[in-house]
Amino acid sequence: MVGRQEEVGEDVHSYVLVTGANGISGLGYAICCRLIDEFIRTRSSFHSLRLIITTRGKTKSHDTIAKLKDHIFRTRKQHKVHEKTPLVAKIYLQAEQADLCRLQSVQALSRKLLHSLPKLDTIILNAGHGGFTGLDWPLAIWSVLTNFPHSVTYPTYKTSDIGRTTASQASRFASSDAPEEPPLGSIFCSNVFGHYMLVHGIVPLLSNSSATPGRIVWISSLEAYDSTFSLTDIQGLQSSSAYESSKRLTDILALSSTLSTTQPFIRAFLPLQSDHRPPKQYVTQPGICATNILPLHWLLMYVVAAAFYFARLIGSPWHTVSAYAGACAPVWLALASQEELDEVEEKKGAGKWGSGVSSQREDQVFRTEVQGWGVGGRVGDNVDLPKNRRPREVVDLNEKAREDFEVLGRECWQSMERLREEWDNILQNEDD
């Protein structure tokens, strides 16, 4: 095995990490399955993929690995592979554990990966939770009856807890005379900040690829509404829409990472050796999938899925319905050539990539409009976007909105770096 790797060279060996890969109905598991399928379909038999998954516990890791091995076995039957290079030798599975709401767990994973991997080509930041408690049923029913399919594409009737925080991160705050521990919003931490700390800890791996820069793929949502986010409440602790707020922050961070005004904070977030290239950041959304992110009775989940399929039938491009279809965009970002990605962004600007369905009901990647950014951060570029791919309340990008977004991006990066440094100091003192 090692001899073959040395003969064909390092660049044919891909290393991809997917966070939150537990649960066969979830997006993370679907990303892994689709990544395996697409890798086998598009790569020669001399290529190999090491797929690293993270879950919160060993039992979930064991179950997920077993299911992925079954998926590889089934895929093996569908593809003809050279007999001297069996499929099982091309896909390597590695399970790790981390709880993104426990920063010490995140740092422990970072240290382990630094010592066990030679590089990391792509990290797909999928893990997280919605924090939803249910639906505002009167509003939900009214919205569906009067505003379909828009109401099941950009819903505003989910309910969630307000002010939910993580458990204590450091024991030194436990004593009665200790200072009060800074709060960490649980949804903010699981969806954004835990990933932020993880990426910062494994930058050497993401910048160690000899062929192309590493890729950081953030998973956002169509529900990343501008109205749900406030810079004064970046963690969403005072918001009744903490999930949507975290996804709006995800959009802002990823899209503004290419701007010159944010580079002082990017360099602190992604510290590099002088001869290494910084990883590139991308953002994607999975469309509308029928997953278990919303706590509903299983019978109601069938009703929801039926509504999604009907929306898709009457022309919605965003109702991917299945998690496997929702995995289309992040997997494409992981496997596309750097030349292809650079060419698109040079022509159209950095954008938010979305999983969708074409008019022929085929999985497809679409550019997604973002409030204050448009489809590529360029005024006038979104005027020809089909109406069924735009929220009704969004207006065409103008110069002022674009300038405001850039200012907001710089302020968000500054706030995130300040928060990271604060928690780095807290955890360092904890270790000492």
Coordinates of all heavy atoms in Angstrom, one line a residue, residues 18 50-55 57-58 60-66 68 92-98 109 112-113:
V18 N -15.1 15.6 7.0 CA -16.5 16.0 7.0 C -16.9 16.0 8.5 O -16.9 15.0 9.1 CB -17.4 15.1 6.2 CG1 -18.9 15.6 6.3 CG2 -16.9 15.1 4.7
R50 N -8.8 9.5 1.4 CA -9.0 9.3 2.9 C -10.1 10.2 3.4 O -9.9 11.4 3.4 CB -7.7 9.5 3.6 CG -7.8 9.3 5.1 CD -6.5 9.2 5.9 NE -5.8 8.1 5.5 CZ -5.9 6.9 6.1 NH1 -6.9 6.7 7.0 NH2 -5.1 5.8 5.7
L51 N -11.2 9.6 3.8 CA -12.3 10.4 4.2 C -12.3 10.3 5.8 O -12.5 9.2 6.3 CB -13.6 9.8 3.6 CG -14.9 10.4 4.1 CD1 -15.0 11.9 3.8 CD2 -16.1 9.6 3.4
I52 N -12.2 11.4 6.4 CA -12.2 11.5 7.8 C -13.5 12.1 8.3 O -13.9 13.2 7.8 CB -11.0 12.4 8.4 CG1 -9.7 11.9 7.8 CG2 -11.0 12.5 9.9 CD1 -9.1 12.8 6.7
I53 N -14.2 11.4 9.1 CA -15.5 11.9 9.6 C -15.4 12.2 11.1 O -14.6 11.6 11.8 CB -16.6 10.8 9.4 CG1 -16.4 9.6 10.3 CG2 -16.7 10.5 7.9 CD1 -17.6 8.7 10.4
T54 N -16.2 13.1 11.5 CA -16.3 13.4 13.0 C -17.7 13.2 13.5 O -18.7 13.6 12.8 CB -15.8 14.8 13.3 OG1 -16.8 15.8 12.9 CG2 -14.5 15.1 12.7
T55 N -17.8 12.6 14.6 CA -19.1 12.5 15.3 C -18.8 12.9 16.8 O -17.7 13.1 17.2 CB -19.7 11.1 15.3 OG1 -18.8 10.2 16.0 CG2 -19.8 10.6 13.8
G57 N -19.4 10.9 19.4 CA -19.1 9.8 20.3 C -18.6 8.6 19.5 O -18.8 8.5 18.3
K58 N -18.0 7.6 20.2 CA -17.4 6.5 19.5 C -18.5 5.6 19.0 O -18.3 4.9 17.9 CB -16.5 5.7 20.5 CG -15.2 6.4 20.9 CD -14.4 5.6 21.8 CE -13.1 6.3 22.1 NZ -12.2 5.5 23.0
K60 N -21.4 6.4 17.7 CA -21.9 7.0 16.5 C -20.8 6.8 15.4 O -21.2 6.6 14.2 CB -22.2 8.5 16.7 CG -23.5 8.7 17.5 CD -23.8 10.2 17.6 CE -25.1 10.4 18.4 NZ -25.5 11.8 18.5
S61 N -19.6 7.0 15.7 CA -18.5 6.8 14.8 C -18.5 5.4 14.2 O -18.4 5.2 13.0 CB -17.1 7.2 15.4 OG -17.0 8.5 15.7
H62 N -18.6 4.4 15.1 CA -18.6 3.0 14.7 C -19.8 2.7 13.8 O -19.6 2.1 12.7 CB -18.6 2.1 16.0 CG -18.6 0.7 15.6 ND1 -19.7 -0.1 15.4 CD2 -17.6 -0.2 15.5 CE1 -19.4 -1.3 15.1 NE2 -18.1 -1.4 15.2
D63 N -20.9 3.2 14.1 CA -22.1 3.0 13.3 C -22.0 3.6 11.9 O -22.4 3.0 10.9 CB -23.4 3.5 14.0 CG -23.7 2.7 15.3 OD1 -23.2 1.6 15.4 OD2 -24.5 3.2 16.1
T64 N -21.5 4.8 11.9 CA -21.3 5.5 10.6 C -20.3 4.9 9.7 O -20.5 4.7 8.5 CB -20.9 7.0 10.9 OG1 -21.9 7.6 11.7 CG2 -20.9 7.8 9.5
I65 N -19.2 4.5 10.3 CA -18.2 3.8 9.5 C -18.7 2.5 8.9 O -18.5 2.1 7.8 CB -16.9 3.5 10.4 CG1 -16.2 4.8 10.7 CG2 -16.0 2.5 9.7 CD1 -15.6 5.5 9.5
A66 N -19.5 1.7 9.7 CA -20.1 0.5 9.3 C -21.0 0.7 8.1 O -21.0 0.0 7.1 CB -20.8 -0.2 10.4
L68 N -21.0 3.3 6.0 CA -20.2 3.8 4.9 C -19.5 2.6 4.2 O -19.3 2.6 3.0 CB -19.2 4.8 5.3 CG -19.8 6.2 5.7 CD1 -18.7 7.1 6.2 CD2 -20.4 6.8 4.5
Y92 N -10.3 5.1 2.0 CA -10.0 4.8 3.4 C -10.8 5.7 4.3 O -11.0 6.9 4.1 CB -8.5 5.2 3.6 CG -7.5 4.6 2.7 CD1 -7.2 5.2 1.4 CD2 -6.9 3.4 2.9 CE1 -6.4 4.6 0.5 CE2 -6.0 2.8 2.0 CZ -5.8 3.4 0.8 OH -4.9 2.8 0.0
L93 N -11.4 5.0 5.3 CA -12.3 5.7 6.3 C -11.6 5.9 7.6 O -10.9 4.9 8.1 CB -13.6 4.9 6.5 CG -14.4 4.6 5.2 CD1 -15.6 3.8 5.5 CD2 -14.8 5.9 4.5
Q94 N -11.7 7.1 8.2 CA -11.1 7.4 9.5 C -12.1 8.1 10.3 O -12.7 9.1 9.9 CB -9.8 8.2 9.3 CG -9.2 8.6 10.6 CD -7.9 9.4 10.3 OE1 -7.2 9.2 9.3 NE2 -7.5 10.2 11.2
A95 N -12.4 7.6 11.5 CA -13.4 8.2 12.4 C -12.7 8.9 13.5 O -11.8 8.4 14.2 CB -14.4 7.2 12.9
E96 N -13.2 10.2 13.8 CA -12.7 10.9 15.0 C -13.9 11.5 15.7 O -15.0 11.6 15.2 CB -11.8 12.1 14.5 CG -10.6 11.7 13.7 CD -9.5 10.9 14.4 OE1 -9.6 10.9 15.7 OE2 -8.6 10.3 13.8
Q97 N -13.6 11.8 17.0 CA -14.7 12.3 17.8 C -14.4 13.8 18.3 O -13.3 14.1 18.6 CB -14.9 11.5 19.1 CG -15.5 10.1 18.8 CD -14.4 9.1 18.3 OE1 -13.3 9.0 18.9 NE2 -14.7 8.4 17.2
A98 N -15.4 14.6 18.2 CA -15.3 15.9 18.7 C -16.7 16.5 18.9 O -17.6 16.2 18.2 CB -14.6 16.8 17.7
L109 N -9.0 17.4 19.0 CA -9.1 16.9 17.7 C -8.0 17.6 16.8 O -7.4 16.9 16.0 CB -10.5 17.1 17.1 CG -10.7 16.7 15.7 CD1 -10.4 15.2 15.5 CD2 -12.1 17.1 15.2
K112 N -4.7 16.0 17.4 CA -4.6 14.7 16.9 C -4.4 14.7 15.4 O -3.6 13.9 14.8 CB -5.8 13.9 17.3 CG -5.8 12.4 16.9 CD -6.9 11.6 17.4 CE -6.8 10.2 17.0 NZ -8.0 9.4 17.5
L113 N -5.2 15.5 14.7 CA -5.1 15.5 13.2 C -3.8 16.0 12.8 O -3.2 15.5 11.8 CB -6.2 16.4 12.7 CG -7.7 15.9 12.8 CD1 -8.7 16.9 12.3 CD2 -7.9 14.6 12.1

